[in-house]
Amino acid sequence: MEFRQRVVVGSIWIAVALLLASTLDPAVPSSAGDVARLFVVVLALFLAGVYLLNPRDVVSRKPF
């Protein structure tokens, strides 16, 4: 995957995280739905970091 493609995909994941973070309450999550939304925000930020930083060429490496 080229650098430009990785930046686009990483930006999309950041947008997803921002959109979901806007639905969270500023307090400690009290329900299972709040915890699930917080998990999705963290997961989206993790995926954005993987695509933008590409540690150990995980995204660019050819399978087998």
Side-chain angles (χ1 to χ4, degrees):
M1 188 176 262
E2 294 180 19
F3 177 73
R4 187 175 184 156
Q5 293 171 329
R6 288 194 339 252
V7 169
V8 169
V9 173
S11 300
I12 290 171
W13 280 117
I14 290 174
V16 168
L18 288 174
L19 182 66
L20 284 172
S22 68
T23 65
L24 288 174
D25 293 330
V28 177
S30 58
S31 68
D34 290 341
V35 172
R37 274 188 258 154
L38 184 62
F39 174 74
V40 171
V41 169
V42 171
L43 181 65
L45 289 175
F46 171 75
L47 289 173
V50 167
Y51 276 100
L52 292 175
L53 301 175
N54 196 17
R56 298 182 185 163
D57 291 333
V58 179
V59 179
S60 300
R61 192 175 1 181
K62 304 265 190 237
F64 302 109

